[in-house]
Amino acid sequence: MAPEVIRQQLPLFDEDGRAGATDDEHGRDLYYLPDLPEEDPYAAGHRTCAGCGPAIQYRWVLKAAGQDTVVAGPTGCMYVANSTYLCTPYTVPWAHTPIASGGSFTSGMAAGYEAMIRKGRYPGPYPNILVMAGDGSASDIGIGSISGALYRNHDALFICYDNECYANTGIQVSPTTPYAGMTTFTPFGKAIPEGNKLPPKNLAKMMAEGHPHCYVATTTVGYPVDLMNKTRKGLNHVGAAFLHCYTPCQKGWVYQTSMTVELGRRVVESGLWPVWEYDPAERAYRYFHPPVQRPVTDYLAMQGRFGHMLPEHVATMQAGANRNWEAIGMDVPAALRDLEDPGRHQRLHDEEYSMPLNRGVGA
Ligand SMILES: Cc1ncc(C[n+]2csc(CCOP(=O)(O)OP(=O)(O)O)c2C)c(N)n1
Ligand code: SF4
Ligand SMILES: [Mg+2]
């Protein structure tokens, strides 16, 4: 008889017992972290920029996944900056794939482990198999191979680390670059004063709606326990799972390096990045309702890539955020509704906003 394929179940971190939490003035538990594993399969010594959001995501995902993990990484910053000749920061098996093939390569790994265990050639249990692809890879060049893998339901976790640009080749526009986000391919000028005219592709919703048998979730590096628990839920789910994680790019977005995690909170609190999970068993979405609702200027003004925005652009952004609040079942306060009027704004550069402890260099 063929050996059985034994799946692992990783316990979730405690999100409710917030004994160690310290609330800030908004009631946000800034410093709560449960006991984390000491192991770091993504070790120190890589060459990403200081404050790199994707590097923070890699570290927390691999901490949550643990040592019995196999990782694939399509071409992008997190391949190039993490691997020089004969050297990587990984203490687990890792492979680079072409930028378009993260999904197909990972499907092959998953099918290969299943087959080897059934044939008695790998002692098991079935390892944690995951791929972490950039937004250029996951939402553009490689979206077909990831969608195919999700559809075929390979038992693996497919993650998009989203720094909202093709960072590694020089900060070019990608399908997840936000409206008005300046990149080297969307400079602002007289003809197109907002820089990027298009709203971002809603990748996670595409994946959930298009593959209703998969576990799908969004998160940010502003919520480490949420990120690590969704990593574990995705790995525990038998079948394919997709995680879309917001990861600021210090170099491309032009902000103070210490603000990466703060941006990961503010993008949610300003309504620009809804955090949710889709449960395939119930075919239902669960939305996170943040305790703070901010004007979009509190987020935008921290970043140089938005510094050129005119009053009408800021108002357009606020209108988009307000529609997001409605979509996740939250009321839009009158003060935020009023900010859909361009007459209530100045150039972003001149707007007043709630500053973090250290003012960002953006505006
Ligand atoms: C088919 C193909 N086209 C273009 C490239 C060049 N290229 C290398 S890295 C990269 C950027 C990838 O962007 P993303 O997936 O968002 O990752 P990031 O660099 O932002 O981490 C590109 C376009 C490539 N390697 N392969
Ligand atoms: S360019 Fe951006 S994504 Fe790339 S290593 Fe630097 S901060 Fe990270
Ligand atoms: Mg990218």
Side-chain angles (χ1 to χ4, degrees):
M1 205 172 84
E4 196 189 339
V5 180
I6 296 170
R7 315 273 170 182
Q8 307 184 51
Q9 282 293 312
L10 298 162
L12 299 186
F13 297 104
D14 180 10
E15 286 189 78
D16 296 322
R18 295 175 181 270
T22 306
D23 285 354
D24 72 357
E25 76 274 23
H26 296 298
R28 308 184 305 178
D29 56 317
L30 285 186
Y31 305 112
Y32 173 74
L33 286 176
D35 290 340
L36 298 181
E38 282 188 14
E39 61 193 328
D40 253 329
Y42 180 71
H46 52 80
R47 299 187 311 157
T48 66
C49 308
C52 173
I56 294 172
Q57 186 222 270
Y58 262 56
R59 183 169 179 219
W60 287 341
V61 162
L62 289 180
K63 218 177 216 321
Q67 214 56 55
D68 191 6
T69 300
V70 189
V71 189
T75 316
C77 264
M78 295 308 287
Y79 152 60
V80 178
N82 284 327
S83 60
T84 40
Y85 185 58
L86 293 182
C87 173
T88 78
Y90 302 103
T91 63
V92 293
W94 168 87
H96 165 234
T97 85
I99 195 168
S101 323
S104 44
F105 184 94
T106 308
S107 305
M109 284 204 292
Y113 272 102
E114 291 244 18
M116 285 195 298
I117 292 170
R118 288 222 176 88
K119 288 178 180 175
R121 293 189 190 162
Y122 181 79
Y126 188 79
N128 298 314
I129 297 175
L130 60 91
V131 58
M132 289 191 267
D135 47 294
S137 172
S139 75
D140 204 8
I141 303 177
I143 190 171
S145 79
I146 292 187
S147 172
L150 295 183
Y151 175 68
R152 294 188 302 273
N153 208 22
H154 293 282
D155 192 4
L157 174 60
F158 301 82
I159 302 179
C160 172
Y161 71 86
D162 192 352
N163 56 13
E164 302 183 341
C165 61
Y166 281 94
N168 184 243
T169 34
I171 322 296
Q172 289 90 18
V173 69
S174 91
T176 61
T177 302
Y179 167 77
M182 193 184 72
T183 68
T184 49
F185 280 8
T186 53
F188 67 94
K190 279 193 186 143
I192 308 178
E194 64 269 63
N196 183 27
K197 290 166 79 84
L198 300 174
K201 187 183 278 190
N202 197 337
L203 178 67
K205 273 279 162 85
M206 280 175 72
M207 294 311 200
E209 294 289 320
H211 314 86
H213 54 284
C214 297
Y215 172 83
V216 181
T218 67
T219 188
T220 87
V221 292
Y223 301 87
V225 181
D226 186 69
L227 166 56
M228 289 191 281
N229 272 343
K230 283 172 175 166
T231 299
R232 289 193 162 182
K233 284 183 188 176
L235 290 168
N236 288 346
H237 175 74
V238 180
F242 182 79
L243 185 57
H244 191 190
C245 184
Y246 165 96
T247 54
C249 166
Q250 193 279 328
K251 177 182 160 195
W253 301 9
V254 192
Y255 62 86
Q256 207 166 54
T257 49
S258 58
M259 289 298 132
T260 305
V261 169
E262 179 67 21
L263 284 173
R265 292 248 168 157
R266 286 191 175 213
V267 73
V268 177
E269 294 168 350
S270 60
L272 294 169
W273 185 277
V275 168
W276 49 263
E277 64 184 344
Y278 168 79
D279 180 347
E282 294 175 15
R283 295 216 169 184
Y285 291 90
R286 274 192 291 274
Y287 294 104
F288 169 62
H289 291 171
V292 184
Q293 286 176 285
R294 299 173 179 275
V296 292
T297 42
D298 275 2
Y299 169 73
L300 301 174
M302 287 172 66
Q303 303 165 63
R305 64 176 171 156
F306 296 118
H308 59 284
M309 287 172 80
L310 300 175
E312 58 270 32
H313 306 146
V314 183
T316 300
M317 198 73 132
Q318 187 66 58
N322 290 351
R323 300 297 82 74
N324 284 344
W325 290 128
E326 289 162 359
I328 67 171
M330 286 184 77
D331 291 334
V332 182
L336 296 186
R337 216 172 267 286
D338 289 347
L339 291 174
E340 293 184 33
D341 174 6
R344 304 292 294 266
H345 293 286
Q346 308 176 54
R347 293 173 59 207
L348 182 66
H349 195 272
D350 301 322
E351 291 251 14
E352 291 205 349
Y353 68 102
S354 150
M355 285 188 291
L357 280 181
N358 298 310
R359 188 187 167 111
V361 295

